Amino acid sequence: MLVFSDEQEAELAMVLRYLLSRILNNPQVIEKLSESYPIRRAAQITAYALQRGKVAASEALDSEASKRLQQFRQDFTQEIKEGFKKIEEENKTKNMPEGAANTVQTDAEKSTEEKKPKCKACCACPETKRERDACIIENGEENCTELIEAHKKPETKILEINVSLGYDW
């Protein structure tokens, strides 16, 4: 058995690294290696393992547990939708005066509904938000308190405030 010193081992490792890099960077050597039986067999085994993994994954997706999970998701979303519809119906009947549930709307009631603002009293109304932001940019936040407050209220109030501030939108 050969015994090398640390310096000799380092030199030997460096020489082996150099030889391997020269051999493996040679296209002719790579071609001959790829045509050899051990390399081809290793590639076949790798491809087989990957294909089996793919088949096993697709079978697992089609399994009973997957089907039950899909059924649960469908049932859950259906229950949620039905719950929301039930809550909306309850809110409608609670807000109506007694006996109004069976009455037919008159033309006057329809016209008052058409006059209602498009935006609800919330922070997501795009019309009031646009005007509020433009005022803040032009005049500063302290000079636009009316528009800021109007953004929190229904849309009908915003037109009055714009006229008072001199905006002509």
Side-chain angles (χ1 to χ4, degrees):
M1 183 161 166
L2 297 172
V3 178
F4 295 106
S5 68
D6 290 339
E7 290 177 9
Q8 289 174 336
E9 281 183 23
E11 287 178 17
L12 183 60
M14 190 168 48
V15 169
L16 287 176
R17 249 185 254 132
Y18 175 75
L19 286 174
L20 278 174
S21 68
R22 295 288 287 179
I23 291 172
L24 293 179
N25 287 330
N26 187 341
Q28 294 163 344
V29 172
I30 292 173
E31 174 124 6
K32 286 196 181 219
L33 277 175
S34 68
E35 293 174 357
S36 69
Y37 177 78
I39 299 296
R40 281 188 293 133
R41 186 68 180 144
Q44 288 172 347
I45 292 170
T46 304
Y48 175 77
L50 288 174
Q51 187 65 26
R52 289 286 297 158
K54 186 178 180 181
V55 168
S58 66
E59 287 175 358
L61 288 176
D62 294 337
S63 71
E64 183 65 31
S66 174
K67 291 177 184 176
R68 286 194 298 173
L69 184 62
Q70 283 181 332
Q71 185 62 40
F72 171 77
R73 185 179 59 95
Q74 289 173 351
D75 292 345
F76 182 75
T77 53
Q78 183 65 29
E79 294 267 337
I80 294 293
K81 287 178 183 179
E82 289 173 4
F84 277 122
K85 285 179 184 177
K86 188 182 267 186
I87 290 171
E88 286 177 3
E89 290 173 5
E90 288 175 3
N91 285 341
K92 286 179 183 178
T93 57
K94 284 181 184 178
N95 293 336
M96 287 186 181
E98 287 186 30
N102 296 330
T103 60
V104 178
Q105 281 187 331
T106 63
D107 290 338
E109 289 172 340
K110 289 179 184 175
S111 65
T112 56
E113 283 186 6
E114 293 172 359
K115 291 179 185 177
K116 288 184 182 178
K118 294 177 186 174
C119 294
K120 296 180 180 178
C122 65
C123 298
C125 185
E127 290 83 12
T128 58
K129 183 179 182 201
R130 192 177 312 117
E131 294 170 7
R132 178 201 64 185
D133 292 346
C135 179
I136 291 172
I137 290 171
E138 292 176 13
N139 304 321
E141 189 173 339
E142 59 278 347
N143 297 327
C144 299
T145 54
E146 290 181 29
L147 284 173
I148 293 170
E149 291 301 316
H151 179 62
K152 298 175 185 175
K153 296 177 183 176
E155 183 183 329
T156 54
K157 205 69 166 142
I158 197 75
L159 294 174
E160 299 169 10
I161 295 169
N162 279 339
V163 172
S164 70
L165 289 174
Y167 288 104
D168 202 16
W169 289 326

